Amino acid sequence: MTLLAGDDFFASRAMTVTVEPRAPQPPFPEHHHDFYEIVLVESGAGVHVFNDRPYTLCSGTVCFVRDRDHHLFENVEGLYLTNVLYRAPQAFRFLTGIDRFLPPDDGQGQVHWHIGQEALQEARQHIRTLAQLAEDHSDEGVAASESRFLQLLLLLHRSCCQLESNRGRDANVLALSLRATSPAVGVEVLSAFLDAPASDDPSDRRSIEAVE
């Protein structure tokens, strides 16, 4: 398995954050790295095999990759994404305690999330600034970069948690509604769903084809 080393991506060892756009992202074999990474999908579709488990990618997908994880990309179709690379949380020079805004580091927590288009646009702005700061090796530059990274991390944390909370609320409402549904109505709803034609929406088709 290929090891990607931070020295090949960070402008210097003084830097703690850098940006690597993939426009587009081609199929990429299994690998791991000695740094951490946030993968943000801008557009397109593909399959992300993360620690031997496949996940479907689409616009707004966010994945947190740790230095001990291994992953690959396959079945890509117009997949555009941005990788925000960063040193281990304890290696930051001006920030401490960012672990609380990252997925649990227990190997059991969710690492693939999804954010809405508004949050995606805001994330792009933070990433553009991070890319500009990635060449500034001064203490002021590194401090500014880490500060902007924290803003990005807070945005993703809030967006991912809010969407997950909304999904949980909607699921609870659906579950309560289904409890009051008679068997006859349930059969009618299920039959209507199964008889409906497949979606022609391009994003839906890409997601289905990526899974197939």
Side-chain angles (χ1 to χ4, degrees):
M1 186 187 308
T2 303
L3 170 66
L4 302 184
D7 288 345
D8 294 328
F9 297 94
F10 292 85
S12 75
R13 295 196 174 185
M15 303 302 296
T16 51
V17 181
T18 193
V19 175
E20 285 289 324
R22 293 289 180 262
Q25 170 68 59
F28 201 87
E30 191 171 37
H31 62 283
H32 63 119
H33 5 82
D34 61 6
F35 50 84
Y36 286 55
E37 179 179 58
I38 298 174
V39 179
L40 179 62
V41 179
E42 308 254 0
S43 61
V47 173
H48 185 209
V49 181
F50 181 86
N51 291 338
D52 303 320
R53 295 183 61 185
Y55 297 86
T56 301
L57 300 177
C58 62
S59 178
T61 299
V62 179
C63 178
F64 295 86
V65 184
R66 296 153 298 208
D67 58 357
R68 68 172 182 274
D69 296 321
H70 53 92
H71 61 145
L72 62 89
F73 296 94
E74 63 184 12
N75 299 337
V76 298
E77 182 179 340
L79 183 63
Y80 284 71
L81 54 82
T82 300
N83 297 322
V84 179
L85 283 52
Y86 60 103
R87 307 288 188 182
Q90 63 271 19
F92 276 70
R93 296 171 55 191
F94 300 98
L95 290 179
T96 58
I98 66 171
D99 308 68
R100 71 193 71 179
F101 303 118
L102 295 168
D105 194 13
D106 57 8
Q108 303 297 320
Q110 182 176 349
V111 292
H112 283 75
W113 304 81
H114 194 274
I115 61 175
Q117 288 302 307
E118 184 176 344
L120 180 59
Q121 291 295 334
E122 189 175 347
R124 286 180 177 133
Q125 296 176 8
H126 290 310
I127 290 172
R128 280 195 292 269
T129 302
L130 284 171
Q132 295 169 358
L133 292 169
E135 299 299 326
D136 188 347
H137 305 182
S138 67
D139 287 346
E140 293 83 358
V142 174
S145 176
E146 292 188 3
S147 174
R148 180 65 68 162
F149 177 78
L150 180 59
Q151 293 179 58
L152 172 64
L153 198 56
L154 288 171
L155 168 67
L156 297 178
H157 179 77
R158 287 195 301 265
S159 300
C160 293
C161 290
Q162 182 62 47
L163 274 175
E164 191 64 19
S165 175
N166 289 344
R167 286 195 189 101
R169 180 195 62 201
D170 295 344
N172 289 336
V173 171
L174 177 61
L176 290 172
S177 300
L178 290 175
R179 289 179 63 185
T181 301
S182 68
V185 173
V187 170
E188 184 177 345
V189 170
L190 181 59
S191 297
F193 172 76
L194 294 175
D195 291 341
S199 172
D200 291 328
D201 184 272
S203 62
D204 290 341
R205 295 306 309 164
R206 286 195 296 268
S207 297
I208 293 171
E209 290 167 3
V211 173
E212 292 175 344

